[in-house]
Every structure is written in structure tokens, then in C-alpha cells.
Amino acid sequence: MNGFNDMIYKNLRHYSVCLSIAVATSFASCKSEDSGLVKVEKINVTYTESTEDFPNPERGFYRYSETNSSDYSLLDAAELKSYRSLQTIPSATYDVYSTLVFRYYILDNVITTAISADFLSNMEKDMVAARTAGVKLIPRFVYTATATPGTCPEGFICPPYGDAAKSVVLNHITQLKTVLTNNADVIACVQLGFMGIWGENYYSDFFGDASLNGGQNSTLTDQNWLDRIEVLKALLAAMPTDRMVQVRYPQFKQRYLFGVNSVLTSAPLAELAAFGVEDNARIGYHNDCFLASTNDFGTFEDYGNSSGPRTSDGVVLNALRDYMKADSKFVVVGGETCSDDYSLNDCEPSGKAQQELADMHFSYLNAHYNTAVNNDWQSGGCMDNIKKNLGYRFVLQTAVIPDHVVKGTSLNLVLNVKNAGYASPYNKRTAKLVLRNTTSGELKTFDLATDVRRWFSGTLKVEESIKIPSDFPAGKYEMLLNLPDEYASIASRPEYSIRLANNNVWEETTGFNKLNHTIEVH
């Protein structure tokens, strides 16, 4: 080649290499230098992690409330809204932010009759109060929350317990369906309830008595299981398919999915099936005796059936723990502590409170019970971590973002994220990239392909390619990330958007997280 042709060949070769790199990386840009060489540039943005505790939707310590059908006490929107601010819990040594409110609906005067229209109307008012306040509810419907002592084997709790027959329960679920469905936007999840005192499916007059009062080694029969399964199936059907129902015991989920003869080694939910609309993806857990004993007071226990007795040994414990540990990665988990007599519920290193919360993917706990246990976390030095890490805690670490994009092409970006929390979000929310014109303030929003529910604990890379329309207005745009609620009724409410755990990114008035980068569209 002569000198002129050789120069053309070299430059073409450089541009070809640059184009290949750009295609491979999806976020490279090329620039010709005076020397005739071409280099690849990447725009890197680094973020600072925040150590602050703050409210975030559908996670954290919940506030407790209850009401009776015989004497309804409405939720107050102003009080609920105050929970979003830092508040001290009675008999506690710690303060909490709360975006969740647990709600006991005690159906004490309808054990043999239909739910009244007034009760359903009052439930609607509760939902309006929650929506006004910017919080969500965790409802549980029960017939009794009172234990009656006597001369039975257990002594402090004796039958009759006061729950309702299956036919009554099923009719009540049918009545509740409209309220639950119409207000799913402010229901984080719903707990099964209905059966037994406190709705914990244990001390029951109609569904099998799993206590010492039940006799015959307190084994549940096949019919007990079938009746319980029927109630769970009805409640799942009464809720939209985008909402989960929590059960008290992991074996209940196994028996629901695989039958009354299911083995303790039944397969947990697979990741490919997670967050779907089928029942296996919609059944979570509420452990109401978290780290209270070796098996959490019956949480990890085989309750038997007509073919085999109830058992509670190390094999049972390990099998059910392993099942819940794997399954809970993809479903909602919450509950409460209930006894301070078990040393392992202390902070590390003497206990394993934080490790257990992480292993079982807890998203929420009761702020009010048991404060003896929770106070130990405060004095033991792990409460601050627990408050921040219940559920998800997303930290934006770095981002790779171009500084300009041509209309009609794709804007490619990479977000490197750490989820420092114990779990990922359990309800769907579509992540959105927001471009805000730096001159006019006009917003342009693009749905991202990533599923935030799959931002599991640990580090992850979010890679996105967003097509910029050919008629997109030219100009400079501030880039923001929005993680709003999926329901249109509250999607624009900042209280229901996820805040990243970073300094200098959160916009309280919009619910947007700033990516601290400006891009030019031309």
C-alpha cells in the first residue's frame, strides 16, 4: 500500500475495533484523537452508602392494632401517618419507623352468623385511612384472641377455644373478598388466621387441636389437614393473584401443595416459579415465635396425619428449617418474637438473631412484642442493623452511564447494586428510568426490564438498554431511578416508592432517586 492508503486502512481498522467494543459492552463511546487513534470511554458514577435508618414501604417493624366486630374501633389516618416518623414503642428502649400496620380483625360476635354490612363498611374506612397515611396493612381475621384457663392438660389455655366451624369461615371469606380485592393496593400481604385462638391454627375447636389438650399425641388427622387446606385455598382465591397469604407453619405449605402425606423433604419453591400467580408462589410465612426455642415453639414440627404420629426430633427440625430457608427467599416472611428464655435469640456472637433473620429472609417484625427480646437487641448492639436490614435495603454502588445519546438509538446503562437487607421485595413494582429536562423540568419515563423482586441479598448488576424515540426532544436531562408501587392508585405517592440507602440521591417530594448524572439527547 502507498502511504495515503495505509493511513486510511489503519483508521478504518481502529474504528472497526471501537465499534466491536461498543457492541460488546453496550455502553462505550468512541472518539478520534488528533493522533488518528481511537479510544473507548466509559462514564462511571460512584455513590456513597448511607448509614441512616428511614422508612421504606412493605418492610421493617410494624405497629400493632386490633378491633372487634362487636365494638369496632376505626383506624385513624393521622395516627397511622405519625408511624412513618421515628417513635418510641411502649415498654421498649428503641425507636422505630413504621410503614406497616398489623391489624387483628376479631370476629367475636359472628361465630355462627354472617359478617355485618357495618363491619365491611368499617373495613373500607380502615383501608382509606391507611391509603391517606401512606402505610399498608397486614390483616389477620380471627374469632378469638383470648385464652381461657381451666383444668385441662395445658391449664393456662383450655377448650372450648371459640373459633368457628369451617362452613362459617368459608362464608366469611366470601364476604370479605370484595373489600380485600378492592383495597389490595394498601394490603402488603394477608395472614391466614381464622382457625384457632389468635388465628395460629393451633388451639382449635374445629380444625384439630394441636396442643396437649388434643389428646392422641395431638396429631392432626387427614380430615384436619383437608379442612385447613380448604380454608387456605379460599383465602388465596379471595385475594388478587399479586398478593401473598402467610401461613404459620412450613409444613402447612407442604401439605397444601403436595397433599396430606407430603414428606418433610418436599421441594421448596424453585426460582423459575417464584413471583408467579400460582399458589406455590403466593404462600409465605409468619413465624410468631421467632427464635423462642429450638423449634420456635412448634414452628418446625411434624404434626402428623392419619397414617403417622406427630414427631419433633432433630431430623424433623432440620428438614423443615432447610425447606423454609430455601422457600422463604421468594415469598413474604414476617412475625414476632415471643419469649426471652432462649439465649440464641440474642445478638451475635452469643446469639444468632441477625443470622436467623437473614437465613429466613424476614421482611418485618412486630415492634410491640416481645419487647423483652427486642430490648435485648438494643442493649446488645444489633438493633440498629436489624431495623435497617429487615426486608430489602438497596445501595447503589456505581453506575456506568453515557453522557450523550442520539435519538433513535439505545441508551445503555449499568447499575451496580448491593442489597444489604435480609430479603428482596415480595410485591411487584416496575422500576423506571426518569429523564428530567434540566430547562423545562419535563419528565420522560421508561419502564426497565429488571424485576426488583429478584434483587436478592448480596450484590447484583442491572443492565438495561432503553430505546430513545426518534422524536424525543433534544436537550440535557437529569437521570433518576423510580421504584414506585405497582398500583396506579398510589404509584405517584412518594411514601410508596422505594428509597435507596445512599447519601444525596433521595427526593422526598417526588419519590425519585437521583443517579447524579446528566445526559444530553441530540
Side-chain angles (χ1 to χ4, degrees), residues 105-123:
Y105 288 100
I106 305 172
L107 306 171
D108 57 335
N109 68 343
V110 293
I111 294 175
T112 59
T113 62
I115 295 172
S116 70
D118 285 345
F119 179 90
L120 297 174
S121 176
N122 284 332
M123 271 192 67

Side-chain angles (χ1 to χ4, degrees), residues 240-276:
T241 55
D242 62 5
R243 283 298 176 267
M244 296 184 186
V245 175
Q246 294 178 303
V247 296
R248 178 66 182 84
Y249 311 101
Q251 188 181 44
F252 192 177
K253 181 169 183 177
Q254 291 180 334
R255 297 260 149 119
Y256 179 90
L257 295 175
F258 304 109
V260 298
N261 292 306
S262 63
V263 296
L264 299 176
T265 55
S266 297
L269 183 64
E271 184 168 351
L272 286 176
F275 309 115

Side-chain angles (χ1 to χ4, degrees), residues 49 52-61 84 98-100 134 136 188 275 328-329 331-333 357-358 361-364 384-396 417-429 451-458 460 483-485 494-501 506 511 513:
E49 181 173 354
E52 183 182 355
D53 183 23
F54 49 81
N56 245 338
E58 301 181 329
R59 58 153 300 278
F61 276 93
R84 293 182 54 83
S98 297
T99 64
L100 289 172
K136 292 200 177 189
F275 309 115
S328 62
K329 182 177 180 180
V331 296
V332 57
V333 180
L357 289 167
H361 305 97
F362 269 72
S363 284
Y364 69 78
D384 285 347
N385 285 337
I386 292 173
K387 287 194 295 185
K388 289 185 289 190
N389 294 335
L390 280 170
Y392 57 86
R393 185 175 175 87
F394 297 138
V395 181
L396 193 56
V417 181
K418 177 179 72 173
N419 181 359
Y422 304 136
S424 61
Y426 45 89
N427 287 328
K428 182 181 180 182
R429 53 180 68 229
D451 187 343
V452 180
R453 295 171 297 183
R454 297 182 185 275
W455 291 14
F456 302 121
S457 302
L460 61 139
L483 302 170
D485 197 275
E495 308 99 308
Y496 292 107
S497 291
I498 290 178
R499 173 180 174 179
L500 300 180
W506 177 245
N513 296 278

